[in-house]
Amino acid sequence: MSKLDKTYRDIKTMRVRGALTIAIASLKALDSVLDEKAKDTRALARKLELGGKKLKSSRPTAVSLPNAVNYVLYLAKKNQGLALEEFREEMRSCIKRFIGEQEKALDTIGAIGANLIESGDVLLTHCNSDTVVTIFKKAHDEGKKIKVVCTESRPRYQGLITAKELSDYGIPTTLIVDSAVHLMMKKLKVDKVFVGADTVCADGDVINKIGTSQIALCAKELDIDFIVATESIKFSPQSLMGSMVKIEERDPAEVIRKGRLRKVKVMNPAFDVTDASHIGMMITEYGVMPPQAAYRIMQEKLGWGIKT
Ligand code: RI2
């Protein structure tokens, strides 16, 4: 099996998951296509195009994945005048640089997020976001005494990955069921909620793991800071045109064994939408901002916009 096919399979089955991780895995998979035999630049660019199409079909919601793939396809188009070997070299170095930029963005967000945390804070997170985990580890490294509450994040239990990672790192961690969030926010005196993002829309709405929007509502009701940590690779250019984000519906068998409740329709949406008005703050590699500033980042930093 080729590296690209393996990456496709791993993303689809969620062996490889997390919005930033799947983007970087796709970039590496496309990089491996550059090693394949091809008669000329055009033929190799065509292979990239087909590989990119396949990768983009692996999961529908996190925009980081098509953003990463489309960037490579844009580069392939831009460099199509190069001779085959030059093309390979140029593409490899651009992909390497792009991956480096994503890793740097993660570090920067880690540092900014840690600045927002005070020693003694009780923090709550949902699912498993590498970006949020990076922030918590950085705060811990700085000597801040933090405690973290993790939700299970049914049905795939990614919260257990977070809980293990943080507790192994020496951070006191508590695991709760998803429906205990409101009660435990009060009981454990949660100071701040940090979540990641799969997609950020132009109006600042955030698509993240199912359950995120309920947690934001609880935080709003209890006046707890609700913070989204996201690299700009998760900003959606399609949202500028008003396109709706497709919410992934996964196999009901992830929720309940097939055939257990024969007459019941079981639904398994993997993500939900948190309204920008329920988000106190967004952290990107460009700094701290209100979520509604997403549109300005898209225009001023990412150079996106509608030509009139
Ligand atoms: P990072 C995950 O989706 C979660 O929704 C998480 O909040 C988000 O990606 C961002 O993750 P899934 O792949 O990029 O578990 O911060 O469905 O790691």
Side-chain angles (χ1 to χ4, degrees), residues 1-16:
M1 192 186 274
S2 70
K3 178 163 177 176
L4 189 132
D5 287 342
K6 191 173 172 307
T7 305
Y8 166 80
R9 186 199 63 193
D10 289 349
I11 294 175
K12 201 171 171 61
T13 57
M14 290 179 72
R15 195 173 302 166
V16 171

Side-chain angles (χ1 to χ4, degrees), residues 96-161:
K96 192 170 168 209
R97 190 170 56 234
F98 190 58
I99 292 175
E101 282 167 12
Q102 299 315 313
E103 289 165 348
K104 187 156 177 282
L106 179 61
D107 276 357
T108 305
I109 294 171
I112 297 171
N115 283 340
L116 294 169
I117 293 173
E118 290 170 276
S119 197
D121 272 353
V122 178
L123 309 164
L124 185 140
T125 190
H126 185 50
C127 196
N128 175 249
S129 157
D130 275 339
T131 316
V132 171
V133 167
T134 302
I135 290 172
F136 292 169
K137 285 183 175 172
K138 182 90 170 83
H140 177 80
D141 290 344
E142 288 171 358
K144 292 175 181 167
K145 302 260 173 284
I146 58 169
K147 288 181 184 159
V148 177
V149 183
C150 298
T151 56
E152 284 181 311
S153 314
R154 283 258 307 146
R156 298 283 304 213
Y157 297 102
Q158 294 100 318
L160 274 62
I161 304 172

